[in-house]
Amino acid sequence: MNIHGLQRNFCSAPTTLLPVQLPTRMESHLCGDELQKRALLARALVRTTIARYVDQTNDRVDPRSLNFKKNGYGKPEVEWQIADDWQPPALQFNISHTSSLIACGVTVDSPIGIDVEEKQRKLKHHILAFARRYFSSHEVEHLTSISDIEIQRQQFIKLWTLKEAYVKALGRGFSASPFKTFTIQLKAAAKRGIYLSRDVESEISEISVDSLGSENLTNNWQFLLLELAGSHYAAICMQKHNTLGGKGNVPIKLTARRTIPLVEDECVLGTSAVVPISGLTF
Amino acid sequence: MASLAQASTALSTSCKPTLALSSRVSSLKSVSFSITGKRFPSLSSRPGRLQVSCSAKPETLNKVCDIVKKQLALPDTTAVTAGSKFTELGADSLDTVEIVMGLEEEFGISVEEDSAQTIATVQDAADLIEKLVEKKA
């Protein structure tokens, strides 16, 4: 699973991206320049990211040739061309953006949801009032138990991104899985598995989701929570492949790149740009 | 079903099948007409064939605009009108949820997720609010 992050202040020449065909016409009438630029960048990021992972023997896939569609609930997907001699790759993606970062996650053969949020994001409402309205009772309990308001706020943002990522991974719209109907828990897990070689001293905690009384299967989703570029939390949710007889987590092979579409691209996994918080055993 | 008495809209018809709609409501959301034959169907005889969606009261619209402006910390110079889309004003999903919460608090209503998903503009929000307030009454 690969995450590509684009920080907007790196993007210097958006005009070179104009020839990229916009898959939807919805955003073309935006009067806000900023929003239009962001929509363009998001499209460029998705296109170039997916194009990179399509194995076309020696031919590079032209990002402009990709077509997109929306599933029945509005989730964007790649619409692969049907050709006799070509098996479309099982790539799935999801994007999320804030005013200063756009993230695109790509997986092979697994539904994915990603959500990013600025670490410093502050609510206009009181956190617990918001949580009581929208989160599950377990989550409210967890947040209430945190006495330090700054830590409480951070935990809130983490929970928010995780919940968003889950609903986006499910891909059936927010009304299909209202936030109150499932609980995300960060549980401390015993040290196990293979860690990144560097100083992961603290326990890596496990993230799980519990659906309260609905038909959603919840034990086949796994979560990652990362800190990106020192400024953002990123939550990723993807479906597990039950290749190990259904028990335990299949380790995720993760790469992360910081990118300016068509301009620059660097792998940032293992640097301070990507800091795992929870849910990871590499 | 259609209560034209509440909408301050005057419909004037002539013998021709085209309709002249003189509207004193600045943002009438949608009007659909079904005309069979040359005469304008009378409301009493075929109420189901005529639908007029009444737009929300100006006070409701104004309150929604205020809440949106506050949530998104928009400067006073930003124009927020009935047709303004939340996403165009810069709202992300967390903002939108906070806006809905603010509207719930202001109007004493409860907005279900599937209704919340349909709100894209200030007008949508105001119309939904009035619907819910009416249901409560």
Side-chain angles (χ1 to χ4, degrees):
Chain A
M1 188 263 299
N2 303 329
I3 316 167
H4 288 237
L6 164 66
Q7 280 171 286
R8 286 183 61 243
N9 56 12
F10 279 106
C11 190
S12 52
T15 49
T16 60
L17 301 174
L18 279 174
V20 174
Q21 200 178 19
L22 295 174
T24 70
R25 267 177 269 125
M26 260 175 49
E27 281 138 325
S28 60
H29 65 282
L30 284 183
C31 39
D33 256 356
E34 286 297 303
L35 288 172
Q36 195 165 15
K37 206 195 286 188
R38 187 174 75 180
L40 201 56
L41 290 172
R43 294 287 184 265
L45 181 63
V46 173
R47 285 174 177 278
T48 51
T49 304
I50 292 189
R52 158 204 283 277
Y53 294 112
V54 177
D55 180 23
Q56 290 278 65
T57 60
N58 290 320
D59 299 328
R60 288 266 182 92
V61 168
D62 185 348
R64 284 173 288 186
S65 69
L66 292 168
N67 289 318
F68 294 85
K69 61 179 179 181
K70 290 195 171 164
N71 77 1
Y73 302 93
K75 183 177 184 182
E77 296 173 348
V78 183
E79 187 168 40
W80 300 105
Q81 313 292 13
I82 301 172
D84 287 331
D85 54 350
W86 190 63
Q87 177 74 3
L91 292 178
Q92 303 203 37
F93 77 93
N94 196 230
I95 58 167
S96 172
H97 36 52
T98 66
S99 55
S100 56
L101 186 141
I102 305 176
C104 175
V106 181
T107 62
V108 177
D109 219 10
S110 165
I112 174 176
I114 183 170
D115 192 60
V116 291
E117 193 52 75
E118 285 164 9
K119 276 172 59 180
Q120 295 307 312
R121 179 70 180 261
K122 304 235 168 17
L123 282 190
K124 288 290 186 293
H125 289 88
H126 189 249
I127 285 176
L128 291 180
F130 185 98
R132 276 191 289 267
R133 171 64 184 86
Y134 288 110
F135 284 12
S136 75
S137 49
H138 289 112
E139 289 162 346
V140 174
E141 238 178 78
H142 167 69
L143 288 172
T144 308
S145 70
I146 303 171
S147 47
D148 182 317
I149 36 168
E150 177 54 19
I151 303 210
Q152 189 190 68
R153 192 193 58 78
Q154 287 174 9
Q155 288 302 101
F156 169 82
I157 302 285
K158 290 174 189 173
L159 267 180
W160 171 266
T161 55
L162 285 162
K163 289 171 86 73
E164 284 261 313
Y166 174 61
V167 173
K168 290 173 82 173
L170 287 175
R172 293 197 304 236
F174 287 91
S175 54
S177 322
F179 272 24
K180 253 196 202 295
T181 64
F182 63 93
T183 291
I184 299 236
Q185 275 183 310
L186 287 89
K187 295 188 276 231
K191 287 188 185 180
R192 67 177 204 288
I194 307 153
Y195 292 90
L196 281 179
S197 53
R198 296 185 320 138
D199 41 286
V200 184
E201 295 288 333
S202 53
E203 288 177 353
I204 300 286
S205 51
E206 230 177 60
I207 308 173
S208 65
V209 63
D210 241 299
S211 191
L212 311 167
S214 95
E215 75 288 356
N216 286 332
L217 268 177
T218 50
N219 60 352
N220 57 343
W221 295 100
Q222 54 189 156
F223 294 84
L224 308 180
L225 186 65
L226 308 168
E227 185 195 274
L228 289 181
S231 55
H232 286 73
Y233 291 130
I236 302 136
C237 175
M238 45 186 283
Q239 207 161 42
K240 291 182 204 176
H241 288 275
N242 289 322
T243 51
L244 296 186
K247 286 253 153 109
N249 281 338
V250 178
I252 299 171
K253 181 172 182 287
L254 172 72
T255 79
R257 310 187 77 87
R258 178 166 57 199
T259 217
I260 300 171
L262 306 175
V263 176
E264 172 182 307
D265 195 76
E266 59 169 320
C267 179
V268 290
L269 190 68
T271 71
S272 59
V274 179
V275 177
I277 301 176
S278 299
L280 280 170
T281 51
F282 284 104
Chain B
M1 187 172 154
S3 27
L4 274 188
Q6 284 175 16
S8 53
T9 302
L11 279 170
S12 61
T13 68
S14 61
C15 305
K16 294 183 254 182
T18 53
L19 292 167
L21 187 75
S22 95
S23 167
R24 269 175 276 131
V25 178
S26 57
S27 44
L28 190 64
K29 189 174 165 192
S30 73
V31 180
S32 67
F33 296 94
S34 159
I35 301 170
T36 55
K38 292 202 172 81
R39 283 193 332 154
F40 188 61
S42 75
L43 289 172
S44 52
S45 61
R46 298 241 218 134
R49 302 283 265 166
L50 175 68
Q51 293 170 293
V52 177
S53 298
C54 310
S55 74
K57 298 195 275 283
E59 310 96 78
T60 310
L61 280 168
N62 285 333
K63 278 192 188 167
V64 175
C65 288
D66 283 342
I67 289 171
V68 170
K69 272 189 167 165
K70 228 173 16 183
Q71 174 62 41
L72 304 179
L74 297 173
D76 280 323
T77 50
T78 311
V80 179
T81 64
S84 298
K85 278 192 168 175
F86 293 144
T87 47
E88 283 176 20
L89 295 169
D92 62 13
S93 54
L94 189 46
D95 287 313
T96 307
V97 172
E98 283 216 85
I99 288 172
V100 170
M101 189 169 167
L103 298 176
E104 288 183 328
E105 288 166 345
E106 174 70 29
F107 294 96
I109 51 175
S110 175
V111 181
E112 297 302 308
E113 249 86 349
D114 45 6
S115 314
Q117 259 193 254
T118 66
I119 299 176
T121 64
V122 169
Q123 183 74 60
D124 292 339
D127 291 345
L128 178 63
I129 289 164
E130 297 222 333
K131 207 162 69 170
L132 291 173
V133 166
E134 194 184 305
K135 250 202 275 185
K136 240 185 36 157

